Amino acid sequence: MQTIKQSIVITTNRHTLWQVLLQDSSYRVWAAVFHPGAYAQTDWEEGGKVLFLTPEGDGMSSRIVRHQPGYVISMQHQAILKNGVEEDKSPEADKWKYLYEIYRAVQTGNQTTLFIEADIDDKYLTHFTTKWQQALLLIKQLCEAQAPATQS
């Protein structure tokens, strides 16, 4: 297992960034990099559950460990999903269980740096490193297409 660590500087405030990250319509745009039609079912509340899903019903079931809106959200994967059914006791599920995905935002002036950390099985490291680079660029484009950045 390794941890992917990437970041991108975006001309926006942390609140706009957080909306782009988690609002369903924009989440679907940048998450499509990982799988066309990908979406999340959740209320994004700390302690709650999030299902990262494909249109086929596959994906990941995770727990939101920490959520401080505009600053950090940390999720720990609990199970994989196959055809909408949670599976946590298989060799494939074992590759993902207990891995973390963390997003952090640090604002300086009218720019916000988004940091992501994602634990990943070595087998998928190259694939997900490339996908995260693409996703971060899309997040930047979505944020910067919104209203001008302001300090907050």
Side-chain angles (χ1 to χ4, degrees):
M1 192 275 301
Q2 295 194 38
T3 302
I4 295 170
K5 294 182 179 183
Q6 294 186 13
S7 64
I8 194 164
V9 177
I10 305 169
T11 303
T12 193
N13 62 62
R14 70 176 66 247
H15 302 292
T16 299
L17 168 61
W18 224 249
Q19 287 178 336
V20 167
L21 276 178
L22 305 182
Q23 187 175 48
D24 183 59
S25 59
S26 52
Y27 178 88
R28 287 174 185 258
V29 172
W30 68 263
V33 164
F34 298 97
H35 187 95
Y39 63 102
Q41 280 185 345
T42 186
D43 60 8
W44 296 115
E45 293 295 324
E46 189 171 302
K49 186 178 201 175
V50 56
L51 300 179
F52 297 105
L53 294 161
T54 68
E56 300 80 23
D58 298 333
M60 190 76 57
S61 173
S62 304
R63 182 176 58 87
I64 300 170
V65 177
R66 182 170 180 220
H67 189 193
Q68 186 179 356
Y71 293 90
V72 65
I73 188 165
S74 171
M75 295 154 286
Q76 183 184 47
H77 303 313
Q78 304 291 303
I80 60 172
L81 295 159
K82 294 284 185 182
N83 296 316
V85 177
E86 287 189 38
E87 180 183 301
D88 66 353
K89 293 178 177 36
S90 71
E92 184 63 22
D94 288 343
K95 292 178 186 176
W96 296 97
K97 277 175 41 177
Y98 310 118
L99 301 184
Y100 278 87
E101 195 167 307
I102 304 166
Y103 309 157
R104 288 186 177 86
V106 176
Q107 184 173 337
T108 306
N110 69 343
Q111 293 186 318
T112 301
T113 304
L114 172 61
F115 298 91
I116 64 102
E117 292 181 32
D119 295 335
I120 195 78
D121 183 274
D122 292 343
K123 176 180 174 183
Y124 304 105
L125 184 64
T126 301
H127 172 77
F128 277 97
T129 296
T130 300
K131 293 299 182 184
W132 267 114
Q133 290 168 348
Q134 295 169 353
L136 288 173
L137 287 172
L138 263 176
I139 292 166
K140 178 181 175 77
Q141 291 170 359
L142 290 166
C143 287
E144 292 181 353
Q146 304 234 352
T150 57
Q151 284 187 292
S152 52

